[in-house]
Amino acid sequence: MSIFRSSHTYLSPLASLPPLQLHLRRDLAESSVSRVLPTAVQNLRQVRAELSEGLRQVSGAKLSEAQATFRTVLEALLFVAVSSDEEAKEVSVLLSCVPFFWHIDLSQWRGTVTTTREYLLGVSIELERRRAAQETPDDVRRSLELAAYFTHCQLQPPHLQIALRSAIQVFTKAGNAGTAAKFARKLLDLNPDPKIVSMVR
């Protein structure tokens, strides 16, 4: 709705008449009716900046805010339009890319969608685990299940380390040392900070 409202303007010619609804155009110099395009409210540069903000929120353990940010990014991507044939060709070539956020090019739409989807899924799983642990502390099985699911999301190594450390703590607390050791091995494979290595060992 906000994008729809942002693509229109209203002009009141007379106080006694309802306002006229005018469609904003992307290029004011274009006068041919067949070539006029509506204004583009969203672009990939803005979406990429918002995705970066969501990743910072995950690093800062602000999971509720990150969840809202990732959902906003996915919704915004529905309204991003390419502006040239070259961009459209680049998008079709790069559809199979799944880069990390700092490698995302303006044309790598699919990578942005994949990264955002994985983070939204992971953050939602962790928030649900925390809620379940608080509301039903006796349901250890559900807590273990959600902690394990979180480690399977395609996150960047620093954020995957957070997920693995959380899973190690949850499984150790539940007395499941075997599975905790498997998560510990995965964490050590990511070459974490030496303090984390000594703690995990």
Side-chain angles (χ1 to χ4, degrees):
M1 288 305 293
S2 66
I3 289 171
F4 174 77
R5 286 194 299 266
S6 300
S7 64
H8 297 82
T9 189
Y10 296 88
L11 176 66
S12 297
L14 297 169
S16 60
L17 294 176
L20 299 174
Q21 181 182 14
L22 304 171
H23 304 281
L24 298 177
R25 295 184 300 176
R26 200 176 302 179
D27 184 9
L28 296 176
E30 186 60 63
S31 58
S32 171
V33 176
S34 63
R35 301 185 70 180
V36 168
L37 293 171
T39 188
V41 178
Q42 297 286 346
N43 63 47
L44 273 175
R45 184 178 292 119
Q46 296 167 331
V47 172
R48 188 176 75 173
E50 195 144 353
L51 177 60
S52 298
E53 177 60 28
L55 295 172
R56 277 192 292 275
Q57 290 168 340
V58 170
S59 296
K62 299 176 181 175
L63 297 184
S64 297
E65 292 90 341
Q67 184 182 35
T69 301
F70 292 132
R71 188 167 281 122
T72 301
V73 168
L74 279 179
E75 291 167 353
L77 283 169
L78 294 171
F79 297 98
V80 171
V82 292
S83 58
S84 67
D85 289 340
E86 290 176 5
E87 260 189 34
K89 286 175 187 172
E90 287 179 39
V91 167
S92 64
V93 169
L94 296 168
L95 280 178
S96 61
C97 293
V98 187
F100 292 128
F101 82 99
W102 54 81
H103 294 139
I104 290 175
D105 203 59
L106 289 180
S107 61
Q108 293 176 322
W109 182 83
R110 176 78 179 266
T112 307
V113 171
T114 304
T115 302
T116 306
R117 181 197 66 213
E118 290 297 318
Y119 272 86
L120 179 58
L121 180 63
V123 166
S124 299
I125 289 170
E126 179 61 11
L127 286 172
E128 175 61 21
R129 184 194 68 77
R130 291 179 183 183
R131 186 200 62 75
Q134 204 169 35
E135 291 180 6
T136 55
D138 297 336
D139 194 0
V140 176
R141 183 177 179 182
R142 179 71 174 150
S143 184
L144 296 176
E145 179 182 49
L146 291 170
Y149 284 150
F150 187 27
T151 65
H152 288 283
C153 294
Q154 295 175 18
L155 308 178
Q156 296 170 13
H159 301 136
L160 185 56
Q161 289 179 25
I162 294 170
L164 288 167
R165 286 172 63 192
S166 173
I168 291 167
Q169 289 174 349
V170 171
F171 276 84
T172 303
K173 187 177 177 182
N176 191 333
T179 308
K182 289 180 183 178
F183 290 128
R185 275 189 226 106
K186 284 184 179 180
L187 180 55
L188 292 174
D189 289 343
L190 295 174
N191 297 322
D193 189 76
K195 292 179 184 176
I196 297 172
V197 171
S198 62
M199 181 202 74
V200 169
R201 286 187 173 152

